[in-house]
Each structure stands twice: as C-alpha cells, then as structure tokens.
Amino acid sequence: MRSAVASSAPARAPGRARDDGAAIVRIAALKKTFGDLEAIRQLSFDVGDGEFLSVLGPSGCGKSTLLMMVAGLIDPTAGEIRIQGAKVAGPRREIGVVFQSPVLLPWRTVLQNVLFPIELLKLPRAHYQQRAMELLRMAKIDEFAGLLPRQLSGGMRQRVAICRALVHDPNILLMDEPFSALDAITRDEMAVELQRIWQAHRKTVIFVTHSIREAAFLSDRVLVMGRRPATIIDELTIELPRPRSIAVTEDETFNRLVRHLRKAIEASHAE
Amino acid sequence: MRNNVGKYAATIAWPVLVTTLILLAWEISVRALGVRSIILPSPSAVIETMAERRDLLLTHLWPSLYLTVLGFLLSVVGGIVVAVLITYSAIVRKGFYPVIVVSQVIPKISIAPLFIVWFGTGTVSSLLLAFLVAFFPMTINAAMGFESIDEDIHRMARTFMGSRWQIFWKIRMPNALPYIFGGMKISITLAIIGVIVSEFVASQEGIGYLIKLAGSLLDTPLMLAAIVALSISGLALYGIIAAAESWAVYWQPPPEAVGVGGG
C-alpha cells in the first residue's frame, strides 16, 4: 500500500518550495500517522544545497517527527524523502543531528564525545582528532576538551553536541529545537555562534524551532507549519545580509518579518 | 581537595565516636556488674582472644572467604550474562525473567539442607549457596542498568549508524556500571551469609563452623572473636568493591557518605 502511494506524483501542497534544481533534500507528499492520530499530512518541500531552512511551528505540531523522518529514524506512512536523489530508508552518513538536549555520554570527555560518531562510523580516529579539535576551537570550547560533560554549563554542552554533529563532515545538519533548553541570553549567543559555524562550513541546515525570532534571525527561508496534522501554511524568504548580529533584531525590517511570521501562525490557530 | 578531606574526616568522626562510646559503655558495665564471660565477655577480652587464637581463626577464615569471593565472582559473571539475555532476548525477558523474580519469594537459605543432600557437606554446597543468594541482585541490577539508557542517547547513536554491538559496548555497558556496582555491594554481603549458613548446617571447617563449634563448647569469647573477624573481612570486601566503583564510575560525583558506613 505504501509503495503505491509513494510512486504517485507528489501533490503540490500550498507553500510548496521553489524548484531551483539544486535541492539536496526533497520531501514529497509526506504523511505520518500514529494509529488514529494524523501527525503530518501531504507535506512537500525542497531544501537547497547550503541553505539554512527553518521549520517554524507550535509545540507538538509534528515538526520533530518530520526531522526524525529525514534522519531516517522513523518511517513515513506515505510519501518519500530523498537526499541527493536517494530515498531515505534509514540513518545515513551524510547527516548530522543535534537534539533538543545535548545527549552527551557522561563517561566521555568533551573530545571523546565529539569523536563518538567517528568510532561508530569506524572512521580513522587519528585523522578526525585534529578536525574535532578545530571544531571545538571554532565553538570556543577547545580549552574544555578534557573535561566531562557534568563540568560544563548547558550552553557549552549544546556546543559540544553541535561539534559532534559536524565531526564526520556531513552535508546536512538537522537541528531539533537545539536551544530550547537554554536561557534567553545564552540562546541569542548560540544563534550568533551557529550562524558563524554555518557560514564557515556551509552545510545544509534544517532547523526546527518554535521561536519566531530565532527562525527569522538564522534562516535563509522559513517554512511555517500549522497545527496538527502538520502542513506548510506559509513560507518566507529572509534576505537580511549576513553575518547578522543580534543588533539586527532591533531593525524595522527584522520586526516586519517577525510580525509576518507571527500573523501566519496566529491565522493557523484561528482556524 | 583539602576541603574534601576535611569533609570526609567529619563524616567518619561521628560514627567513630559513637562506636567508641558504645564499646566503652560495654567494657565498663561488664566489669562493674561482674558479668561472666560465658554470658558476655568484655570487648578487651574479645580482642585478647583474637590475638591468642589468631591461627585458629585464620585457619577457618580462609576457606570461608575463598568460597565467598568465588561464589560472588560467579554470581557477577552469571548475573551479567543473564542480564544481557534479558535485555536482548524477548523469550528470556518475557518467559524467564518473571520466573526469576517470583522465585525470590523462596528464602534461598532454607534450601541449604537440600544442597547438603545433593552435593554433600563441603565446598560445593557452600559455593553453590553463596552463588545462589548473590546471583539475583546482580541480575536485577545489571538488567536495570542495561535497560535504563536514555531514549535520546539511543536515538543519537542510531543517527550515527551505531550497530547493536557498538551500542552495547559503548553505551549500555558503561551506563550499567553504576548499577552493576550497586548489585555487587549487595551480592558480596549475601554471598558471605550463604557461605556461613552452609557451614552452620554441615561442614568441618570455615568460620561458620567455628562459630557453631564455639557455641556448643560455650566458649563465648571465641564465638565473638570469630564474629568480629568475619565482620572485619566483610567490611574489607565491601570496601574493595566501593573503591573499585569510585575508580570505574569516575564520571559520577562521589556519593554522600550515607551508604558508605552501611557495610
């Protein structure tokens, strides 16, 4: 049954992404149900190579489920996800994931945690050790390489998690509300850091968040998802010049974007 | 660092003081009331006996300790193996695990005479009883440790394409270590009980046999000397495990002194 649906032509849902040919991730007519609960309905969009795409929506709207499907951890009920042309049927090497909590292994030092994917993927450790140190330096936590996670603050732990997601040089970075557990000041700081890291590495990023400001600040493009079952209700291209500093969030242009996104979300609530 | 040492000194100072006071009260009241040593010898008399009959005590202590440690080690290995089976095999988890849990209603010590019938009086019976009583807490604790991994950690490892084998050795095993050590601390105490009871029932050597023999000869000082020697040994075994734990489980902050004095 699933294959019959998957082979049908992808439906053009509202908010369908522009087809610029450089898509690295293509999501077509994606559907996910848990028993009677329909989490995601007819979701289609593309993500361009090197693009920073945010998926913005209220808590529990199915955006994390979407991300877990892209990561190959959950199978879609219908529809398909293609990464560089290949259909996703399980976890893939070219993906790095950052979760809501840092999920570091408490018995490993910062450096050992960052190198964990290298061990699992059986890549040459000696080669990647240097890369891991460079990532830590870039995230400004290299001096803590020998410490255990419990000796770090929440923000630093999440930086370690970001380094870990990047260590095996994936093309695509999936981020599931990575800053939601942090305080407001650390959040702003981390957004700036993430932008810097992204500009240095130019990974494709799919960033799931419920923070309008965060989405507007970080993204090239924002997809707004409505209440369950999740579909795209709006799409907004953010053309603010980079690198963006936190000062940008006080500009009128930025606030107009934020208002636009807020209205889109409120409209979906009113339904 | 110095602060830690100071804290540690403070936590042991009180129990040491209380113990000293109790021993002192015991000593004074036995002397003052002229209690006969067959009823209750004074602490100093017990220590004197321990020194005088050192060879006898050691002769009987060694086989008991040897069997305790052996039974304990077997229960550790066996418990971990069964815990792995519980974690990975649905048949074992659904079929055998409940049976193992329910079988704990049986006071295992009561099986000692049956073991004597089956395996005779001697080392085999003692060893098996020690193993049997120590095995259960090891299994339960290790199984809990293997299964209590955070769903997010499991997910994280899967996104990096970790195999089941890798997830076991790199995540489940280290995650279970604190639980395994918790089980070991319980098991070592139970293993001692297993050996002693078995020696009570039927044996020609061992500290349990000596305690029983001293009792039947109404040699109360010797009996207490044997009990003290046994307690010190038990404390030492427990201490070795606690020390190994703080070395192996280095990532956890040191526990408060609550459980430490319990041995």
Side-chain angles (χ1 to χ4, degrees), chain A residues 141 152-160 182-183 186 190:
Chain A
I141 45 172
L152 304 183
S153 69
M156 286 182 192
R157 282 182 211 161
Q158 201 54 290
R159 284 171 202 236
V160 177
L182 306 176
D183 62 87
T186 313
M190 292 293 287

Side-chain angles (χ1 to χ4, degrees), chain B residues 199-213:
Chain B
E199 287 169 355
F200 278 171
V201 175
S203 187
Q204 299 307 312
E205 60 169 8
I207 203 81
Y209 164 75
L210 187 64
I211 291 169
K212 202 178 79 168
L213 184 71

Side-chain angles (χ1 to χ4, degrees), chain B residues 52-199:
Chain B
E52 271 171 18
R53 315 188 74 171
R54 198 175 53 231
D55 291 341
L56 178 71
L57 286 167
L58 286 177
T59 313
H60 286 283
L61 196 57
W62 283 128
S64 300
L65 286 186
Y66 170 73
L67 291 174
T68 299
V69 172
L70 201 60
F72 164 75
L73 290 178
L74 283 175
S75 78
V76 171
V77 174
I80 290 174
V81 168
V82 172
V84 170
L85 292 176
I86 288 169
T87 308
Y88 286 103
S89 157
I91 296 172
V92 175
R93 189 171 51 248
K94 289 181 184 153
F96 287 82
Y97 194 37
V99 176
I100 296 175
V101 173
V102 172
S103 73
Q104 293 314 303
V105 181
I106 305 166
K108 287 166 295 298
I109 295 301
S110 65
I111 299 174
L114 189 63
F115 273 25
I116 307 296
V117 173
W118 287 348
F119 306 108
T121 62
T123 52
V124 180
S125 292
S126 300
L127 185 64
L128 282 177
L129 199 63
F131 168 77
L132 189 72
V133 293
F135 170 75
F136 177 70
M138 259 330 289
T139 311
I140 296 284
N141 273 276
M144 250 165 58
F146 289 140
E147 271 168 41
S148 73
I149 69 165
D150 188 23
E151 186 46 44
D152 280 343
I153 286 186
H154 196 247
R155 222 184 254 174
M156 181 272 293
R158 284 213 297 137
T159 63
F160 297 118
M161 307 176 77
S163 63
R164 286 180 106 188
W165 181 255
Q166 286 175 321
I167 288 174
F168 178 76
W169 284 109
K170 292 177 192 292
I171 296 176
R172 286 193 197 273
M173 202 49 165
N175 185 68
L177 275 184
Y179 295 82
I180 289 174
F181 275 103
M184 285 164 95
K185 284 181 186 166
I186 301 170
S187 290
I188 191 70
T189 3
L190 291 179
I192 295 174
I193 295 173
V195 168
I196 298 302
V197 167
S198 167
E199 287 169 355

